[in-house]
Amino acid sequence: MVQLTTSKSLDNKMYLDVNPYVPSLDSVVFNSERDGGHENLYLMSLQNGRFVQLTDSDDIDGDHANVSPATEEVFYVEDRTFTSVSLRAPYRERKIRKVPDRYDVKGIVALTSDGKTIASSLYDEEEDRSSLVLIDVRSGELETIKKIDGKVDHVLINPVRGDTLLFHVYGEDIGQIGLVDVESKKKTMLTDSHDYGVHPFWVNGRIAAFSQDAQGDTPKQVVTYDIRDEKFFSYDIRESSNHFAMNPARTIIEGDGHKGSTPYIYFYYIKPGTNKVDTVKMFKHNSSSETESVHPHAAFVNDTDLIFNSDADGKGNGNVYLLREK
C-alpha cells in the first residue's frame, strides 16, 4: 500500500469511472482543495512523488474530471464550459464548448480512449429530460444523440469503439440502466422497472456492467452485459459494497464495503468459468459516503493495482492511495 498524497486539506481521486493513471508519464492526476478550499487538479509523478498544479480556478468540477492518456490531457467543466489542460509543460488550457444556462451538466466528462470525443448528460430541470450528447474535442461541435425522460446522472461512452452510450436514470425509487446506439439512436434498457440498477461502468469495449440491489432472496449483484452477444451474466456479492469496479482481465471485482460496519476495500476474486467469487478483505479505508469526494471511488490502473480515496486515519482528511497486489 502506498499513500500518494498527505495534505491536511482534502485530496481525492476523481469519480468512480476515472482511471487517473497516465502510463507515458508514469503519473496520476488527482483533485485537491489545498488551494484555499477550491478544487483544482494536480499531476503527480509515481517515480519521485513530485507534483504540479494543472489548474488555477475557483469554479471547476474537479470531482468529475477525466483523464485521456492517449492525448495526455485532463478534461473538466469550468463555468459551464468543457475544458482541457495539457499534462505536459507549459500545461496549456483549451476551452472546448460552453453549454446553455438551462442545462445542468451531469456525471463525469466521459471520453473515448483516443481522447477525441466527449459524452455527457445535459439535464433540463424544467422539462425533466436529459440530453445525451457527444462533443467533438477538436471542433467543439455538439450532437444530441438521444433525449431521455428524467435525470440521467451518468452517461459513459464505450471507451474503445465509441459507438454505444451506457447511462443511468436516477430519481426517487428509480435506478434504471440503459444503452443507446450512437448511429441508430436505438435505446435498450438493461433493467426492468422493478429493478434498481446503479453505478454503470464499462469493462474494455465489450462489457457494460452495473450493480443491482438485493431483491428478495437474490443478494446484491454485479451484472455484466456483453453488447456483442447480447447476454447477461451476474455475480452474487454476499459481503456487500456501495460501488464496484472490475479489472480489464475480468478476474477481480473490487468493492468498497459500507461505512461504519465494513469500511474495507474488498477484492472479489472471480472463480474461472463461474459466477462465484472468493472475497478477500484488502484495506480498511474508513471513508464515509456523505460527500462524493470522500467515497473510495476505486479504479483499476491495470489488472492488479487499484487507486482509491481513503480517510485511513479517521480524521476526515481524505487522501489518495495506491494498492499494489503482491
Side-chain angles (χ1 to χ4, degrees), residues 64-81:
H64 296 99
N66 203 351
V67 180
S68 170
T71 62
E72 296 180 342
E73 294 172 286
V74 58
F75 292 81
Y76 53 95
V77 175
E78 178 180 16
D79 187 27
R80 314 188 59 76
T81 302

Side-chain angles (χ1 to χ4, degrees), residues 271-301:
K271 297 180 179 180
T274 75
N275 67 341
K276 308 295 185 183
V277 299
D278 288 325
T279 305
V280 177
K281 190 183 294 183
M282 303 296 289
F283 181 78
K284 187 174 183 179
H285 57 69
N286 251 345
S287 297
S288 77
S289 298
E290 293 176 3
T291 65
E292 282 200 339
S293 298
V294 291
H295 287 181
H297 283 165
F300 282 98
V301 300

Side-chain angles (χ1 to χ4, degrees), residues 114-133:
D114 60 10
K116 295 181 179 179
T117 305
I118 291 169
S120 188
S121 169
L122 306 181
Y123 176 64
D124 187 323
E125 186 174 6
E126 287 190 7
E127 293 186 355
D128 192 26
R129 298 188 79 193
S130 299
S131 298
L132 308 188
V133 302

Side-chain angles (χ1 to χ4, degrees), residues 99-243:
V99 299
D101 290 344
R102 71 177 185 274
Y103 291 121
D104 188 6
V105 181
K106 293 293 183 181
I108 68 166
V109 183
L111 297 167
T112 48
S113 58
D114 60 10
K116 295 181 179 179
T117 305
I118 291 169
S120 188
S121 169
L122 306 181
Y123 176 64
D124 187 323
E125 186 174 6
E126 287 190 7
E127 293 186 355
D128 192 26
R129 298 188 79 193
S130 299
S131 298
L132 308 188
V133 302
L134 297 184
I135 301 172
D136 184 277
V137 168
R138 177 170 294 182
S139 68
E141 181 179 348
L142 183 148
E143 178 186 6
T144 299
I145 302 300
K146 194 78 171 179
K147 291 194 175 185
I148 306 290
D149 290 337
K151 184 183 296 184
V152 173
D153 65 340
H154 297 93
V155 58
L156 305 170
I157 190 167
N158 186 307
V160 177
R161 296 179 173 85
D163 59 358
T164 311
L165 301 178
L166 172 64
F167 67 92
H168 173 232
V169 183
Y170 174 79
E172 187 175 352
D173 298 323
I174 298 174
Q176 294 289 287
I177 305 293
L179 297 170
V180 174
D181 183 279
V182 169
E183 183 174 353
S184 69
K185 311 297 193 292
K186 178 184 176 182
K187 180 179 72 174
T188 302
M189 298 306 297
L190 302 184
T191 56
D192 294 328
S193 58
H194 61 274
D195 298 329
Y196 195 82
V198 294
H199 299 120
F201 58 95
W202 285 105
V203 185
N204 298 326
R206 181 164 175 170
I207 302 298
F210 57 95
S211 64
Q212 187 164 285
D213 283 356
Q215 300 179 74
D217 295 332
T218 303
K220 177 169 279 194
Q221 294 181 324
V222 171
V223 181
T224 64
Y225 178 76
D226 189 313
I227 62 173
R228 185 180 300 172
D229 295 339
E230 299 182 347
K231 291 182 178 179
F232 288 95
F233 203 80
S234 59
Y235 302 89
D236 290 352
I237 306 296
R238 301 288 175 178
E239 298 81 5
S240 191
S241 291
N242 290 318
H243 305 92

